[in-house]
Amino acid sequence: MGSVSLKIGDGTARFKRASLCSSAVNFLMLLSVVTTNLFALYAFTSSPKDHTSTYLLHTHKNISLISEQVSLIHREIESSKKKLAQMEKQLLGYESIDLSKSNIANELRSFLQQHPLPLGKDSRSGITEMVASVGHSCEKSMDLLSQYMNYKVNGPCPDDWSLGQKLILRGCEPLPRRRCFAKTIPKVGLQPFPNSLWKNVSEKTYSWSGLACKNLACLNSKKLNRDCAACFDIINGYETQRYVKARSKNDFPIDDVLAMGSGAIRIGFDIGGGSGTFAARMAERNVTVVTATLNVDAPFNEFIAARGLFPLYLSLDHRFPIYDNVFDLVHAANGLDVGGRPEKLEFLMFDIDRVLRAGGLLWLDNFYCSSDDKKRALTRLIERFGYKKLKWVVGERINGSGNSEVYLSAVLQKPVRT
């Protein structure tokens, strides 16, 4: 092996020819480089596949775990929604009547079925569904209620007003609405107001179904209650003098009571107003009176309406559908005698106080005190309200059996409470 010389500038560089030993070293180096490249190639070709496979396996496990967690959260949310809906139904009384029972009329199911609000959730109340209004005590009279709701849709309603009133007297109030046409009775011979106040109309204008009497003469021959003895005789009977001429010291002339109101009596409420004579006398004096009554043994509501007056068909167990502090005058007689526990009378008195405005008058007209204990209990109850006693009279009457009965009449003024 020779040498190679290379002249660079003024000097000459010489390279000796490689020896056998150096060639072996070069071969080993080349082999090392090749081996290293092979390992690198293996690393870049085989190792990433295993890593990617492991990565994908872990990723799949993580996704499955997250999916399970999301499903669990979703189930918990759905369960919470159901619990909230159940609580809402219980609070609002959706399920006071079990609609799954076999004796439930289809129309009752349709009426009580809740429906989503047209505009979604109400922001004030938080309610999401429309709820049908029906008395909670209806559940205790399901057979009668299903009978009441068993009718042909879009057809005539059964002649069953007495069935509806029986449900009301059992506490099933308000009654459910119905999709049938109420019986139509021609109202012939109606008089213009104010002549209608003291004119009878044809007896055919009243519904007599479910009643023992079938005409006014029969009704006038009976004492239907303590406030209605011949009270349908508005032509020749005592009704023509009632509230104008006093038969006893317990009878207050209507003009005297109006004078106590200092001319500020404009609208009033009559509880258990019989045939509407109190409202008629008030109408003559330009005072509008609503009369709350039922049709117990007589067509009271139809008779009052025929006189051109406003009847309100509801029981005394029903909260008055009147806003607070509205009436200038509330007139009540023996309609306050609700019986039962003293709390029952208290609830009624508080509702009367609610609808009577401050400075308004409560006229207690000939309330029958069956015992001294009852009189004292009523007196204590009235005193709790702090009413001013404008007039207070306790008198006695001899009943048909010859026994003495005690009656309380009073005119009370509601105070201004702070």
Side-chain angles (χ1 to χ4, degrees):
M1 301 180 68
S3 61
V4 178
S5 64
L6 179 62
K7 187 176 180 180
I8 303 175
D10 295 335
T12 301
R14 289 182 172 83
F15 296 93
K16 295 181 178 180
R17 294 181 181 274
S19 63
L20 180 62
C21 181
S22 62
S23 297
V25 171
N26 291 335
F27 176 77
L28 290 176
M29 292 178 65
L30 178 61
L31 182 63
S32 175
V33 170
V34 172
T35 304
T36 301
N37 289 335
L38 289 175
F39 276 112
L41 179 63
Y42 176 79
F44 281 106
T45 57
S46 62
S47 294
K49 292 181 181 180
D50 296 339
H51 178 72
T52 302
S53 177
T54 304
Y55 175 77
L56 291 175
L57 180 62
H58 285 297
T59 302
H60 179 71
K61 289 182 179 180
N62 290 337
I63 292 175
S64 298
L65 182 60
I66 293 173
S67 178
E68 291 179 1
Q69 293 294 328
V70 171
S71 298
L72 179 61
I73 293 172
H74 180 71
R75 288 194 297 270
E76 290 179 352
I77 291 174
E78 291 299 320
S79 177
S80 298
K81 286 182 178 179
K82 290 180 180 179
K83 289 180 180 179
L84 288 174
Q86 185 69 21
M87 291 172 62
E88 183 182 46
K89 290 179 180 180
Q90 291 175 351
L91 289 173
L92 295 176
Y94 288 13
E95 298 185 345
S96 59
I97 295 178
D98 186 0
L99 300 181
S100 65
K101 293 182 179 179
S102 59
N103 63 337
I104 301 294
N106 290 332
E107 275 297 279
L108 183 58
R109 285 194 179 94
S110 298
F111 177 74
L112 294 179
Q113 190 69 36
Q114 57 266 25
H115 304 282
L117 293 178
L119 301 178
K121 182 177 180 180
D122 182 74
S123 59
R124 294 183 179 180
S125 63
I127 303 302
T128 60
E129 296 172 326
M130 298 174 65
V131 186
S133 178
V134 63
H136 73 282
S137 295
C138 292
E139 187 179 15
K140 299 178 181 179
S141 304
M142 285 309 304
D143 292 339
L144 289 178
L145 185 62
S146 290
Q147 182 181 345
Y148 179 76
M149 294 298 290
N150 188 15
Y151 57 88
K152 182 180 179 180
V153 178
N154 296 325
C157 293
D159 189 9
D160 60 354
W161 72 265
S162 57
L163 174 60
Q165 182 166 273
K166 184 182 294 184
L167 284 166
I168 290 175
L169 293 174
R170 290 188 177 190
C172 183
E173 190 178 27
L175 289 171
R177 288 173 173 169
R178 301 199 291 187
R179 295 186 292 177
C180 58
F181 295 100
K183 181 181 179 181
T184 301
I185 300 177
K187 302 294 183 179
V188 296
L190 296 179
Q191 299 290 322
F193 190 86
N195 293 339
S196 59
L197 296 175
W198 305 102
K199 296 287 186 180
N200 277 331
V201 297
S202 172
E203 294 176 341
K204 295 181 180 180
T205 63
Y206 308 124
S207 175
W208 300 98
S209 63
L211 299 176
C213 287
K214 305 299 180 183
N215 52 61
L216 296 178
C218 176
L219 293 178
N220 289 323
S221 66
K222 295 183 177 182
K223 185 176 183 180
L224 299 175
N225 55 59
R226 290 186 176 275
D227 299 315
C228 184
C231 69
F232 286 88
D233 186 358
I234 59 175
I235 304 298
N236 301 310
Y238 171 66
E239 294 295 297
T240 61
Q241 302 178 13
R242 198 172 185 184
Y243 304 111
V244 177
K245 294 183 179 180
R247 292 187 299 180
S248 69
K249 64 178 182 179
N250 284 76
D251 296 331
F252 301 159
I254 204 166
D255 290 325
D256 293 351
V257 175
L258 289 176
M260 298 179 194
S262 302
I265 306 298
R266 305 151 303 158
I267 54 175
F269 189 39
D270 188 15
I271 299 175
S275 61
T277 296
F278 177 79
R281 290 299 184 195
M282 283 293 188
E284 291 175 331
R285 290 154 177 81
N286 296 320
V287 178
T288 301
V289 171
V290 178
T291 304
T293 185
L294 290 174
N295 282 356
V296 178
D297 299 327
F300 287 104
N301 281 266
E302 291 174 289
F303 191 85
I304 292 172
R307 300 179 75 175
L309 303 169
F310 188 172
L312 188 62
Y313 187 68
L314 83 165
S315 73
L316 292 184
D317 288 327
H318 193 295
R319 186 179 189 266
F320 298 137
I322 309 294
Y323 193 65
D324 303 353
N325 305 298
V326 168
F327 291 119
D328 303 314
L329 170 72
V330 174
H331 174 261
N334 287 294
L336 291 182
D337 190 12
V338 292
R341 297 179 302 175
E343 291 84 356
K344 194 174 182 66
L345 177 59
E346 289 185 16
F347 278 112
L348 176 58
M349 286 292 295
F350 272 97
D351 208 26
I352 291 174
D353 180 82
R354 178 183 65 82
V355 300
L356 181 64
R357 68 166 174 82
L361 303 182
L362 171 59
W363 182 353
L364 194 60
D365 187 8
N366 282 281
F367 180 81
Y368 171 59
C369 302
S370 57
S371 65
D372 289 338
D373 290 339
K374 191 169 186 177
K375 182 182 68 174
R376 284 193 293 268
L378 179 61
T379 302
R380 287 194 296 267
L381 178 60
I382 292 173
E383 290 175 348
R384 284 172 53 188
F385 287 87
Y387 281 38
K388 182 179 180 181
K389 296 179 181 178
L390 302 180
K391 197 166 186 177
W392 183 279
V393 176
V394 177
E396 294 185 0
R397 291 184 190 172
I398 304 299
N399 59 22
S401 303
N403 298 322
S404 177
E405 295 179 340
V406 177
Y407 289 83
L408 170 64
S409 292
V411 178
L412 312 166
Q413 188 173 40
K414 180 179 176 178
V416 178
R417 303 189 185 98
T418 57

